[in-house]
Amino acid sequence: MSRGNLFVTLDDISLSGKRVLVRVDFNVPIKNGRISDDSRIRACLPTINKITQAGARVVLMSHMGRPKEGKFDPAASLNLVADHLAILLGEKIRFISDWNNLGEAGNERIILLENVRFQTGETKNDDQLARKMAAMCDIFVNDAFAAAHRVHASTCGVAKYAPVACAGPLLVKEMEALTTLFKNPARPMIAIVGGSKVSTKLNLLKSLLERVDQLILGGGIANTFLKASGANIGESLCEDDLLETATEIMGIAKTLGKQIPLPTDVVCGKNISDYAEARVKPVGKIDSDDLILDIGPETAKNYATALLKAKTIIWNGPLGVFEIEQFSRGTGIIANAIADSPAFSVAGGGDTLAAIAKFGIAPKLTYITTAGGAFLEYLEGKTLPAIAMLEERAQAWRATEREY
Ligand code: 3PG
Ligand code: MG
């Protein structure tokens, strides 16, 4: 069944003359007062255009950062986003900071509301706030897959109370790409999970192990597994209290007949800096004051060979400290192998997107999700509450004869 059957979509309803409230995820990184990556904004442009071209007015709402509720915080304002959006669309955007003065909005086709997290009750999914949002529109559209794991007023509550609640085109596209990963994926299927902490990705590792044929680990996660398997990892980043868990996961892999290959060589430094000397060492020859900062060339080559033969690839998390040139090769080789592989490939997460940009492989991946946390929760097999709410509304809507 296509996702379109699970949700009410923009194609199911008549938009002309309606006021459409769209939850987007414009939570973009801002560095030195500028938006450093606008992909989340660009990803929503087709949705906005589709709605305005159908003759409807759009009210956009999004969160930005994690400000204290009930208070304005200039650092988390969406005003920069409003300016940028206007440039991208080539159209005037009305930016409304005072949620109590919505009635003042003129006839602009596109309105952007100030950060939804300044509203008291947003992150608690407050009923009153949700009803207030719902009252702003004829149709609510959730196009914020990246925030679909949050039970907030703007992601869940509003969808409960809005006259119609539908899934936006971006959200549908994200769900379709991710559904393909888990529904009869072409095999072999490999997941690459890197990053610093085992603890945040523990459930992810366990649930991925059940689905994939091979799990490739990187960063602090790989170090923890190396240490658990008896290797000396010197001063490398590692979570000592999870060594037993790592051993347990390797045991599960064995029982299931799945592979978790560990690095056979690594790139070490004595500190993490642009000037640190990089040394390739076989695992087994690591000094007590060494830091493992990348996978070694032999390991990278072996992983790349496996990736080139894979039919499905999931990538979350870099393999080393790729921001520093001399420790970036492992991640670069893996990134290029994913790009060159004929596999259906999906990647996501903040650091992963930065690595994809650094190695210029974006056009060669099948799908890059805009989501970070929501992507991980989806991969863990969790139900995303905002998605569940849209499905619930769709069922009720289909049962009552599509009045719209
Ligand atoms: C993200 O960046 O992952 C989403 O925008 C969700 O943000 P949050 O983790 O602050 O809820
Ligand atoms: Mg996040």
Side-chain angles (χ1 to χ4, degrees), residues 181-182 184-192 205-216 252-261 306-307 309-314 343:
L181 280 181
F182 287 162
N184 302 321
R187 295 191 179 273
M189 180 180 194
I190 301 182
I192 305 149
L205 296 180
K206 284 185 178 167
S207 65
L208 279 178
L209 202 49
E210 285 169 23
R211 302 177 192 262
V212 304
D213 302 296
Q214 199 176 113
L215 196 52
I216 290 179
I252 300 173
K254 219 171 184 176
T255 316
L256 295 174
K258 308 288 175 77
Q259 296 169 312
I260 306 183
L307 290 166
K309 288 190 208 140
K311 294 285 180 338
T312 307
I313 299 173
I314 303 170

Side-chain angles (χ1 to χ4, degrees), residues 27 40 66 149-150 372-373:
N27 182 26
R40 280 183 170 175
R66 294 178 181 171
H149 56 321
R150 302 288 177 227

Side-chain angles (χ1 to χ4, degrees), residues 370-393:
T370 59
F375 177 49
L376 293 183
E377 292 202 13
Y378 181 88
L379 293 180
E380 278 170 32
K382 287 192 189 158
T383 301
L384 302 179
I387 304 283
M389 177 60 77
L390 291 176
E391 289 178 352
E392 210 175 284
R393 286 297 312 268

Side-chain angles (χ1 to χ4, degrees), residues 306-362:
L307 290 166
L308 288 169
K309 288 190 208 140
K311 294 285 180 338
T312 307
I313 299 173
I314 303 170
W315 183 23
N316 173 262
L319 289 109
V321 188
F322 73 95
E323 299 87 345
I324 299 177
E325 213 43 50
Q326 60 273 36
F327 303 114
S328 68
R329 285 200 194 106
T331 303
I333 289 170
I334 297 311
N336 281 298
I338 300 171
D340 292 340
S341 171
F344 178 92
S345 54
V346 177
D351 290 335
T352 313
L353 296 198
I356 288 169
K358 174 170 172 133
F359 299 107
I361 58 155

